[in-house]
Amino acid sequence: MDTSLNQSNLDISRLSDSDKRDLQQQIGNEMQKAKLQDSIHNLTDICWTKCITGGISGGKLSSKEESCTQNCVERFLDANTAVLKHLEMMRGEMQ
């Protein structure tokens, strides 16, 4: 880790308004990426636990496990889409 950085190098108040907006946008983007990665991790855990019942032989899932996994992912995506649509509808009603 670079210990040559000191507090004055990290002083956000020295940034221009444009740079502050850019930094906020970058932070927002990183937070969205982290949320997406967390969702993918949760999806993987849920579908793996639900669908993978035995050991994986030959590097392949059984047809039953493959079908279950595909269905699990589709239901997860359907649920997320329904929640997003509902939130968008609520947002529209508030405006």
Side-chain angles (χ1 to χ4, degrees):
M1 186 169 166
D2 185 2
T3 57
S4 66
L5 290 176
N6 59 39
Q7 192 64 22
S8 65
N9 289 345
L10 302 174
D11 188 0
I12 295 172
S13 66
R14 299 167 94 185
L15 295 175
S16 69
D17 288 342
S18 175
D19 288 339
K20 287 178 185 176
R21 283 190 299 274
D22 289 345
L23 180 59
Q24 286 177 327
Q25 182 65 43
Q26 275 189 307
I27 291 170
N29 290 345
E30 290 300 318
M31 289 173 64
Q32 286 178 338
K33 283 181 5 184
K35 286 181 183 179
L36 178 60
Q37 289 172 336
D38 188 49
S39 291
I40 291 170
H41 178 74
N42 288 335
L43 169 65
T44 302
D45 276 349
I46 290 167
C47 293
W48 183 272
T49 301
K50 179 178 179 176
C51 298
I52 312 304
T53 56
I56 298 175
S57 59
K60 290 187 170 188
L61 300 175
S62 71
S63 61
K64 182 178 178 182
E65 291 170 331
E66 189 174 335
S67 175
C68 177
T69 303
Q70 182 175 355
N71 189 48
C72 181
V73 170
E74 288 173 359
R75 296 301 70 81
F76 183 87
L77 294 174
D78 288 345
N80 280 329
T81 300
V83 168
L84 289 174
K85 284 181 181 180
H86 181 71
L87 291 173
E88 287 175 8
M89 183 182 70
M90 289 174 55
R91 178 190 280 171
E93 290 174 357
M94 295 176 94
Q95 293 176 353

